[in-house]
Amino acid sequence: MGEQIILGKGGTREKIFLAAVRLFSAQTYGCVTMRDIAAQAGIKVASIYNHFASKQELLQAMYDFYAHQQRMAAPNLQKMLALAETAPPREVLMMADFHYPPAVQETMDRILIIAAIEARGSAKSQRFVKEHILDLTN
């Protein structure tokens, strides 16, 4: 439990994670049960608990996944500042443009939807949105 999700590894943990991401983004966190997630993942409900203790832990795994992918894709600010001293502005601006790998883009988009919906009633989701979306633009 608690290990970083890496898409493409396969396995039950990834199936559960992706099933939950799809369901939470389509039906909202509060409307989805562990039974729904198990059915979507094609496993027995009891098997989920070998990988995630609760829906809350699944939601946290999504936020952790997003934060990790964002750190991996985001430009290095120190390198950009150093480059700004000698390089043309266009080169520095091009370095600021980052994209997520195609294999994770849909999952990242869905996690944003989940966080935005959950931010209305969850302080943890509000912090996530502030830190990973609003503050990033600053």
Side-chain angles (χ1 to χ4, degrees):
M1 291 196 196
E3 71 184 66
Q4 177 63 45
I5 301 287
I6 300 170
L7 297 185
K9 284 178 67 175
T12 305
R13 185 172 170 82
E14 182 179 333
K15 286 180 191 174
I16 294 165
F17 177 80
L18 291 173
V21 167
R22 285 189 298 272
L23 289 169
F24 290 175
S25 65
Q27 300 175 24
T28 75
Y29 174 84
C31 293
V32 175
T33 66
M34 292 297 252
R35 187 173 305 284
D36 297 331
I37 296 166
Q40 177 81 25
I43 62 169
K44 295 184 188 294
V45 178
S47 297
I48 289 180
Y49 297 102
N50 292 328
H51 302 278
F52 297 96
S54 64
K55 278 190 349 181
Q56 185 61 39
E57 188 176 307
L58 261 165
L59 184 62
Q60 185 61 52
M62 291 175 199
Y63 292 166
D64 292 346
F65 174 84
Y66 189 96
H68 174 75
Q69 293 298 324
Q70 190 175 60
R71 280 190 307 275
M72 298 301 290
N76 181 310
L77 186 57
Q78 307 309 346
K79 286 183 183 178
M80 284 180 60
L81 290 173
L83 186 63
E85 307 234 350
T86 58
R90 177 171 166 49
E91 191 174 329
V92 176
L93 289 172
M94 292 297 289
M95 192 176 187
D97 184 30
F98 69 95
H99 303 279
Y100 299 112
V104 301
Q105 184 63 59
E106 180 182 348
T107 302
M108 297 293 281
D109 292 345
R110 287 179 180 270
I111 293 170
L112 281 179
I113 291 167
I114 294 164
I117 292 168
E118 292 307 309
R120 292 180 294 188
S122 162
K124 183 180 281 193
S125 295
Q126 287 172 3
R127 281 190 304 277
F128 174 84
V129 168
K130 182 180 181 317
E131 181 179 334
H132 295 282
I133 301 165
L134 301 176
D135 288 352
L136 184 66
T137 60
N138 291 334

